[in-house]
Amino acid sequence: MTLAFVTGITGQDGGYLAERLLDEGLEVHGLVRAGDEAAAGELRARVPGAILHVGDLGDTDLLAGLIAEVQPDEIYNLAGISSVAYSWHEPILTAQLSGVAAAVVLEAAWRLQEQVGRPVRCVQASSSEIFGHAAHAPQDEATPVRPVSPYGAAKAYAHQMANVYRGRGLHVAACILFNHESPRRPLTFVTRKITSAAARIGLEGAGVITLGDLDVRRDWGWAPDYVDAMVRAARHSVADDYIVATGETHTVAEFAEVALRRVGLGDAWRDHVVIDPELMRPVETPTMVGDASKARRELGWEPSVRFAEIVGRMVDHDRELLQLGPQ
Ligand code: NAP
């Protein structure tokens, strides 16, 4: 039986990945942060087959020891601080969890491979934020790595280490993920903040969504599609870097418009959006759009859900949650 080890299994992508791998018949092990009983409980209910190990990503010995003990065939390193905004508040923790921990995973995987004499396939969840203020759009695998946030810098280190260990003979794919969303996105992200507020405004007929820069453009995809790309990258004959993106951009204003129209507000959607300059980021990356031609060509990957449908599914989910009431 093929064994997979997933860090960040309680996160948005980790949950979809665990479901996918269990459906395929793999034995799935995941790292769960100590003290996060709520997320672990939710995950156990959704994917009872997953074997959960409690520990902190910052605990180097524990993380390396788990990989040595589980002896996985596939490792997906998804854990870490995943919010640019939060990384400005916790830059050192971000470096440890989104940067150094990746090196710990890679070193442990390499040692395991040396010990067992069979390939250990790894995927590093890289980010478009490694490109910072890219001079050209769309960004591809050759775009210079020049991060402009603590999150981007930590991810850039992990990304470079993936390349270092690839050179050492480890099968490490680095998937450079552009923004991807789903109803499982935490409420702290602007997309989910918009969809949950829109659902409430739709039901109550009043209220506003308070946002920062409405003109920021992002390339937003559907999370399960991005998980699919990571699995394809893990299993591909050659380990490499892959941009995972839709190639289409939309502004935060468009996101809000689609969400508010979905709840029936029509052209009145504008009356329900207000701008708060306090919500502007210290350094905002203006346009991020990825060219995923290589993933399409070499992995046979395609995004399957488009922008308006992603927003619609998120709003519908949030509306259902509100209608169900407190659980
Ligand atoms: P997410 O929902 O924020 O999940 C992050 C995971 O890391 C959670 O399971 C979290 O556990 C875990 N984690 C955080 N600190 C930990 C610690 N100290 N010890 C153990 N586990 C810890 O992120 P995601 O959206 O699924 O993204 C998956 C990966 O892709 C991340 O590495 C992210 O940086 C990268 N990425 C995501 C996007 C995107 O748009 N989603 C774009 C580019 C790259 P808790 O739930 O307990 O906090």
Side-chain angles (χ1 to χ4, degrees), residues 10-13 33 36 57 78 82 151 155 177 180 185:
T10 54
Q12 171 186 254
D13 295 2
R33 189 160 55 90
D36 197 0
L57 196 58
L78 309 184
S82 64
Y151 169 78
K155 284 299 215 186
L177 309 170
H180 49 281
R185 193 66 143 150

Side-chain angles (χ1 to χ4, degrees), residues 118-193:
R118 58 167 167 75
V120 177
R121 291 167 175 261
C122 301
V123 175
Q124 169 60 22
S126 250
S127 164
S128 55
E129 293 288 335
I130 65 173
F131 298 136
H133 290 150
H136 300 285
Q139 293 86 43
D140 63 19
E141 292 80 3
T143 300
V145 172
R146 284 190 202 128
V148 293
S149 68
Y151 169 78
K155 284 299 215 186
Y157 170 73
H159 183 74
Q160 308 282 22
M161 286 302 270
N163 190 40
V164 168
Y165 275 83
R166 200 179 295 148
R168 213 178 174 192
L170 192 67
H171 187 288
V172 194
C175 289
I176 307 168
L177 309 170
F178 281 60
N179 289 59
H180 49 281
E181 312 299 317
S182 77
R184 298 184 192 172
R185 193 66 143 150
L187 286 159
T188 45
F189 285 81
V190 68
T191 48
R192 186 78 195 288
K193 173 180 166 176

